[in-house]
Amino acid sequence: MASSEGFLTNEQREMLKIASQNVEVLSSSPKSPTSFLSEHHVKAPAGGKAPTAGIAARHVRRSHSGKFVRVKKEGGGGKGTWGKLLDTDGEATLDRNDPNYDSGEEPYQLVESTVTDPLDEYKKAVVSIIEEYFSTGDVAVAASDLKELGSSQYHSYFIKRLVSIALDRHDKEKEMASVLLSSLYADVISPPQIKDGFFILLESADDLAVDIPDAVDILALFLARAVVDDILPPAFCTRAKKALPESSKGVQVIQTAEKSYLSAPHHAELVERRWGGSTHITVEEVKKKIAGLLREYAESGDTSEACRCIRELGVPFFHHEVVKRALVLAMEVQTAEPLVIKLLKEAAEEGLISSSQMVKGFSRLVESLDDLALDIPSAVSSFQSLVLEATNGGWLDASFLKSSNEDGDAQVEDEKVRRYKKEIVPIIHEYFLSDDIPELIRSLEDLGVPQYNPLFLKKLITLAMDRKNREKEMASVLLSALHIEIFSTEDIVNGFVLLLESAEDTELDILDASNELALFLARAVIDDVLAPLNLEEIGNKLPPNSSGSETVRSAQSLTSARHAGERLLRCWGGGTGWAVEDAKDKIAKLLEEFESGGVLSEACQCIRDLGMPFFNHEVVKKALVMAMEKKNDRMLDLLQECFSEGLITINQMTKGFTRVKDGLDDLALDIPNAREKFSFYVDQAQEKGWLLPAFGSPAADGSH
């Protein structure tokens, strides 16, 4: 009954016919899909509803030409149709005279533009500055041009470009390049940028060596010259070597600089004269000329003549040395103070000495006030009055006074601290001569300022580093004694922090300061002066990327190496006394011999022969433990004899008892009656006056 078309009404059949005609029209168009409807069969579903497959009736429209066409979904578009109600697809012309004209409706036009790299522009600009400097030799103009160029963040690349250009020139230009770097140091190019610039040079050494066969040797000389001129610390070489690939030319440059130049006798003079010094006088010569003109000025009082001499030196970048030496002269010779003030004031007003050079001169003097105070007792008070005179007179920036107050110890120090530093220097020198630890400890106790113990540690190691291995060994041994007697672990930690905070300054004076500080730290761990965790504590108190924090990491590596204990105990050659481990072994042996029937006087002599009175608390500790283990109270007779002779002091006796008391829990595991025995020994010791009154009774502590 149903046809192949299903149950369709006449209207539906007519619609199907129209759809079929539209298929033919669409298939004839090259832009239309050829089989849009052929793949779909229109079939009426059960229930007699209109078909939903294929093209819906509302998408079919008769055009004005009479043809049926398929149109766009929203009723717009289609060829021959009216389009949508609001059709905006057509082209519209903007009328700039229209009151409703909006320039934002204008079509965008893309304009081609070249993107420039600021670094590339900077590199091009500095080439002309360098070439002009090589032609004129005018340091002041080059410095001024570099300042005007701006982009100070790229100054490290200026160093690379300057040296790279000079590499392929004559000795005259090489010397000029070194002089310019010294001139720009601190005033135009900061110290970190100097370091970065030289490191970039070392990284590019392989490329430079391709074009310039002797690039390695020339770069090594530039590097050595920078160290000699104090614009790079000697430790830079060590750090840079670690950061470069071992097979690189950069490492060869550093090795050549260290072996051929920096380690040679009279290396400073050799390096400064290598390129003939044809453009400017050397730093040492400038210092001599400054000292000479200031002496003449102090005698003549001719300010205009002194200013003329300063101007003729032709080293405006080095005027801070004039300021520093003039201030020292004012401190040394009181009658010269008004003359110095007059000279500096006039030089500042004339613009002869710049504000930055003036501040730098005062700042440099602050750094050496400690040493000056040893020779000039009134150095600090004189400096304070000079600072006030300068700031009140307007020829020293007032910010210097503010920073002086903020920095405290780093600037004008407290009189008490200054006096302490002055007093401990001869104490340390005397110890290096006599090797008498008890005398040094008594001297420190007489000073009565334990809060300054960290300052003592800093001064001790600083003085030892500038001496031979014997004094370094003595300093390490002394630290062990001080830690046992009067220094707390906190004192030791804070002392090393102070030392490492000034590590970069120390490296300027002591070539291998970083490695030696690492050895002192590692040795302190091996000697039980510091715990390994204390190294982390010290590192956390230092800036992350500083020289000090790097030294701490080196110390940690040293302590974690195989056989570290044996190596570090002998790092200074074992120049004084016995190493701690050796001393412990000897103490154990002499006590065993005495316990097995040895003579009392011989045992005392053996203790005396050890030569480590600061370590006698170990004798007390081992004697008490042995008395408990062997159940032989004869050891108390030895302690009594040692105490009576003054061989073991009350401090050492108390410390030995305290160490046993602290380890009673562990002792009780092996010696069940350890607490009872120790309580008995304490009673006897207190009765005989061996212990300090502050020592508490173990009964209360150990009854639990």
Side-chain angles (χ1 to χ4, degrees):
M1 191 173 164
S3 68
S4 62
E5 295 177 348
F7 295 99
L8 299 176
T9 63
N10 291 332
E11 184 180 354
Q12 290 171 339
R13 288 193 181 93
E14 181 66 16
M15 190 176 294
L16 181 60
K17 182 180 178 182
I18 294 170
S20 300
Q21 291 173 350
N22 278 336
V23 169
E24 293 175 3
V25 173
L26 290 170
S27 63
S28 65
S29 172
K31 296 181 180 180
S32 304
T34 57
S35 57
F36 189 77
L37 289 180
S38 61
E39 296 175 2
H40 300 81
H41 298 283
V42 180
K43 183 176 181 181
K49 291 187 179 179
T52 57
I55 299 179
R58 66 189 182 91
H59 288 167
V60 181
R61 183 181 300 170
R62 184 185 295 273
S63 70
H64 293 291
S65 62
K67 292 183 179 180
F68 290 97
V69 295
R70 181 172 180 241
V71 297
K72 294 181 181 179
K73 186 174 180 181
E74 296 299 328
K79 185 177 179 182
T81 65
W82 289 100
K84 289 190 290 186
L85 181 61
L86 294 175
D87 193 348
T88 59
D89 292 340
E91 292 184 5
T93 304
L94 291 173
D95 184 1
R96 290 182 174 83
N97 296 320
D98 190 333
N100 295 322
Y101 167 74
D102 183 2
S103 61
E105 297 177 4
E106 292 278 6
Y108 292 104
Q109 291 185 349
L110 297 177
V111 180
E112 185 177 352
S113 176
T114 304
V115 178
T116 59
D117 184 353
L119 179 56
D120 290 338
E121 294 296 317
Y122 176 86
K123 288 179 178 178
K124 292 175 185 175
V126 297
V127 170
S128 61
I129 295 174
I130 294 167
E131 293 293 354
E132 184 180 348
Y133 167 67
F134 284 157
S135 300
T136 64
D138 195 328
V139 172
V141 170
S144 175
D145 290 345
L146 195 59
K147 280 182 179 178
E148 290 177 4
L149 182 60
S151 303
S152 59
Q153 69 272 26
Y154 298 137
H155 282 348
S156 54
Y157 290 95
F158 172 82
I159 297 166
K160 181 194 174 186
R161 181 66 70 181
L162 172 66
V163 175
S164 299
I165 293 174
L167 282 177
D168 207 20
R169 303 289 182 98
H170 295 96
D171 284 353
K172 174 176 176 284
E173 284 79 8
K174 294 182 179 74
E175 174 68 18
M176 290 175 72
S178 288
V179 169
L180 181 60
L181 286 178
S182 295
S183 309
L184 300 176
Y185 176 73
D187 284 339
V188 181
I189 303 179
S190 67
Q193 288 174 326
I194 294 281
K195 293 177 186 176
D196 292 343
F198 271 93
F199 187 76
I200 294 171
L201 262 175
L202 293 171
E203 284 184 317
S204 60
D206 292 274
D207 296 331
L208 292 170
V210 173
D211 301 321
I212 305 167
D214 56 347
V216 169
D217 189 64
I218 300 173
L219 284 174
L221 197 48
F222 268 111
L223 181 60
R225 177 63 178 270
V227 173
V228 168
D229 287 347
D230 287 338
I231 65 173
L232 275 181
F236 170 83
C237 297
T238 305
R239 292 187 201 132
K241 198 188 298 182
K242 292 177 182 177
L244 293 167
E246 290 184 11
S247 59
S248 68
K249 296 285 186 187
V251 171
Q252 291 181 30
V253 169
I254 295 170
Q255 290 171 342
T256 304
E258 289 177 334
K259 293 178 182 177
S260 301
Y261 299 116
L262 295 175
S263 61
H266 310 293
H267 68 272
E269 185 177 351
L270 170 71
V271 170
E272 286 183 337
R273 294 296 185 186
R274 184 60 187 268
W275 289 319
S278 55
T279 61
H280 291 271
I281 56 178
T282 64
V283 172
E284 288 305 315
E285 288 173 337
V286 172
K287 288 180 178 180
K288 288 178 183 177
K289 285 181 177 288
I290 291 171
L293 75 86
L294 287 174
R295 278 196 304 270
E296 289 180 14
Y297 171 66
E299 293 173 2
S300 67
D302 191 340
T303 308
S304 59
E305 176 64 17
C307 287
R308 186 187 66 78
C309 292
I310 294 170
R311 193 176 289 106
E312 284 184 354
L313 285 174
V315 286
F317 59 89
F318 206 58
H319 283 167
H320 58 83
E321 183 71 17
V322 177
V323 178
K324 178 188 173 185
R325 287 181 178 267
L327 293 172
V328 172
L329 177 64
M331 294 177 186
E332 289 176 335
V333 184
Q334 289 186 349
T335 55
E337 183 174 328
L339 290 172
V340 167
I341 292 172
K342 183 182 177 185
L343 174 63
L344 294 180
K345 183 178 181 181
E346 191 164 321
E349 289 173 349
E350 285 184 15
L352 178 59
I353 298 179
S354 67
S355 174
S356 62
Q357 288 288 313
M358 191 69 75
V359 170
K360 190 173 180 181
F362 272 84
S363 298
R364 288 186 62 208
L365 188 60
V366 167
E367 295 166 5
S368 58
L369 268 181
D370 284 344
D371 298 328
L372 275 173
L374 298 176
D375 301 319
I376 310 170
S378 61
V380 174
S381 57
S382 297
F383 182 70
Q384 287 175 324
S385 66
L386 286 167
V387 169
L388 290 173
E389 182 73 31
T391 50
N392 292 337
W395 45 276
L396 176 64
D397 196 313
S399 62
F400 176 82
L401 187 60
K402 181 181 177 182
S403 64
S404 297
N405 294 332
E406 288 176 353
D407 290 345
D409 286 346
Q411 303 292 336
V412 181
E413 294 184 307
D414 177 80
E415 181 68 20
K416 193 174 181 182
V417 174
R418 184 194 64 77
R419 188 167 60 250
Y420 176 80
K421 289 183 175 181
K422 181 180 178 181
E423 289 172 340
I424 61 175
V425 170
I427 292 174
I428 295 170
H429 285 161
E430 186 179 342
Y431 165 67
F432 285 154
L433 292 172
S434 67
D435 195 15
D436 192 340
I437 291 177
E439 178 60 31
L440 181 141
I441 290 174
R442 280 193 294 272
S443 298
L444 284 182
E445 288 175 335
D446 290 343
L447 290 177
V449 279
Q451 66 270 30
Y452 295 150
N453 286 347
L455 296 176
F456 179 87
L457 184 147
K458 179 187 175 185
K459 182 61 75 174
L460 169 69
I461 294 180
T462 302
L463 291 175
M465 281 197 297
D466 206 21
R467 299 207 171 200
K468 295 180 179 179
N469 281 349
R470 174 181 176 275
E471 284 78 8
K472 296 183 180 77
E473 173 68 16
M474 290 177 73
S476 287
V477 171
L478 179 59
L479 279 186
S480 295
L482 292 174
H483 183 239
I484 292 163
E485 290 287 343
I486 55 175
F487 278 27
S488 66
T489 301
E490 186 180 4
D491 289 337
I492 304 289
V493 168
N494 291 337
F496 273 109
V497 170
L498 288 176
L499 196 59
L500 295 169
E501 282 176 340
S502 59
E504 292 189 0
D505 295 331
T506 307
E507 287 166 358
L508 294 174
D509 301 317
I510 301 169
L511 187 63
D512 202 27
S514 181
N515 290 334
E516 291 193 354
L517 284 172
L519 283 172
F520 271 111
L521 267 173
R523 174 64 180 270
V525 173
I526 297 301
D527 287 346
D528 293 329
V529 174
L530 291 174
L533 284 176
N534 292 138
L535 293 185
E536 292 183 18
E537 182 184 351
I538 292 169
N540 291 336
K541 293 183 177 182
L542 299 167
N545 298 318
S546 65
S547 174
S549 59
E550 185 177 328
T551 300
V552 173
R553 288 192 289 272
S554 298
Q556 289 171 324
S557 300
L558 289 170
T559 56
S560 60
R562 291 185 63 190
H563 309 298
E566 183 179 347
R567 290 180 181 177
L568 290 169
L569 284 171
R570 303 296 180 189
C571 65
W572 310 126
T576 70
W578 300 100
V580 172
E581 292 303 318
D582 291 339
K584 288 181 178 179
D585 291 342
K586 286 186 172 290
I587 289 168
K589 287 177 182 177
L590 76 86
L591 290 176
E592 285 171 3
E593 288 180 10
F594 175 72
E595 192 272 335
S596 61
V599 180
L600 194 61
S601 58
E602 275 187 23
C604 289
Q605 186 58 45
C606 289
I607 294 170
R608 193 176 288 107
D609 290 344
L610 283 175
M612 298 179 76
F614 59 89
F615 205 56
N616 282 344
H617 62 85
E618 183 72 16
V619 176
V620 178
K621 176 193 167 187
K622 286 189 178 295
L624 292 173
V625 172
M626 195 173 288
M628 294 180 193
E629 290 175 337
K630 308 285 187 181
K631 298 180 181 179
N632 186 349
D633 293 345
R634 188 165 181 253
M635 288 296 173
L636 297 181
D637 297 335
L638 175 61
L639 294 180
Q640 175 62 50
E641 185 65 23
C642 290
F643 184 75
S644 300
E645 289 185 15
L647 185 58
I648 297 179
T649 65
I650 191 170
N651 285 331
Q652 289 288 317
M653 194 72 79
T654 303
K655 189 169 286 289
F657 270 82
T658 301
R659 290 185 64 200
V660 175
K661 176 184 173 184
D662 293 340
L664 272 179
D665 288 339
D666 295 330
L667 280 172
L669 298 176
D670 300 318
I671 308 170
N673 63 339
R675 293 187 184 282
E676 291 76 10
K677 293 292 291 182
F678 182 67
S679 181
F680 170 72
Y681 297 153
V682 169
D683 289 341
Q684 282 203 355
Q686 288 176 332
E687 185 180 329
K688 295 175 181 179
W690 297 354
L691 303 176
L692 292 168
F695 185 85
S697 171
D701 298 333
S703 59
H704 54 81

